[in-house]
């Protein structure tokens, strides 16, 4: 049996997204800014962030396989969907749902840097600093959270729970009967 406990409410998320959007606007007064969401988890964050920003944006999506279906990392990173546009000469903000080990973002940043964007920054809704294995410079962090498995607002467990409005801690009680 699994249980959900609200860690960050929808109201807290929305308020923080407004603040992050204002920070990104300040750092990129001109635009267009390419907001690149990592599928699938970051899609709600991207949608809210883009609409809260005043600087003109363009949106792109990139697919990465990292975690498989469970809660533990496979340790492998693979690009499963590339960008549709060239980012050369543009300001870019990579939008991620959560930075955990840092493996995904350090891999992706290396690839994007080779494409010569004008600037390259990272925004993440959540950060689990305790779990970091690779150092990544994250410019915009929504919330630092403890080392607990969370779902909602885009984050999943085996593809479930993405549409919850709050970010919740998912825990499974062993030996549950259903
Ligand atoms: P990293 O490469 O270890 O930093 O992994 C980041 C990715 O792992 C995120 O984009 C999520 O898809 C997934 N992930 C890490 N922690 C969680 C969690 O608590 N809940 C859901 N997905 C997670
Ligand atoms: Mg993800």
């Amino acid at each position: 049996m699994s249980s959900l406990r609200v860690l960050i409410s929808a109201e807290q998320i929305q308020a923080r997204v407004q603040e992050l959007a204002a920070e990104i606007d300040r750092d990129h007064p001109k635009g267009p800014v390419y907001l690149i969401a990592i599928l699938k988890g970051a899609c709600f964050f991207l949608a809210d962030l883009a609409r809260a920003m005043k600087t003109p944006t363009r949106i792109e999506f990139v697919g990465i396989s990292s975690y498989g279906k469970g809660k533990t990392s496979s340790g492998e990173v693979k690009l499963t969907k590339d960008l549709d546009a060239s980012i050369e000469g543009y300001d870019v903000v990579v939008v991620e749902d959560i930075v955990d080990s840092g493996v995904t973002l350090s891999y992706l940043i290396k690839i994007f840097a080779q494409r010569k964007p004008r600037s390259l920054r990272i925004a993440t809704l959540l950060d689990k600093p305790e779990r970091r294995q690779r150092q990544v410079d994250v410019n915009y962090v929504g919330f630092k959270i403890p080392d607990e498995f969370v779902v909602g607002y885009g984050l999943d467990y085996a593809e479930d729970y993405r549409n919850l409005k709050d970010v919740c801690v998912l825990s499974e009680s062993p030996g549950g009967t259903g």
Side-chain angles (χ1 to χ4, degrees), residues 63-126:
I64 281 261
S65 75
S66 55
Y67 261 47
K69 287 186 185 145
K71 289 184 182 176
T72 48
S73 174
S74 66
E76 272 174 55
V77 183
K78 207 172 60 182
L79 199 64
T80 55
K81 187 220 174 293
D82 205 339
L83 303 173
D84 293 330
S86 165
I87 54 172
E88 187 172 342
Y90 284 98
D91 291 312
V92 170
V93 177
V94 178
V95 178
E96 177 58 308
D97 52 1
I98 185 166
V99 186
D100 190 33
S101 68
V103 170
T104 305
L105 272 176
S106 59
Y107 168 81
L108 211 53
I109 287 299
K110 213 179 292 170
I111 292 179
F112 289 164
Q114 289 166 358
R115 301 183 183 180
K116 303 185 174 63
R118 184 165 168 268
S119 68
L120 183 54
R121 294 187 174 92
I122 298 173
T124 186
L125 180 74
L126 306 173

Side-chain angles (χ1 to χ4, degrees), residues 15 35-36 38-40 44 47 59 70 98-99 161-162 170 174-175:
L35 298 178
I36 304 178
I38 304 177
L39 292 170
K40 306 171 188 165
F44 295 92
I59 63 174
I98 185 166
V99 186
Y161 306 112
R162 291 194 197 273
L170 177 71

Side-chain angles (χ1 to χ4, degrees), residues 131-155:
R131 303 246 312 165
R132 202 71 89 253
Q133 293 168 23
R134 303 275 169 82
Q135 201 247 320
V136 230
D137 292 322
V138 184
N139 306 84
Y140 314 99
V141 176
F143 302 90
K144 287 202 163 105
I145 65 164
D147 182 11
E148 292 186 283
F149 197 84
V150 290
V151 295
Y153 195 70
L155 291 131

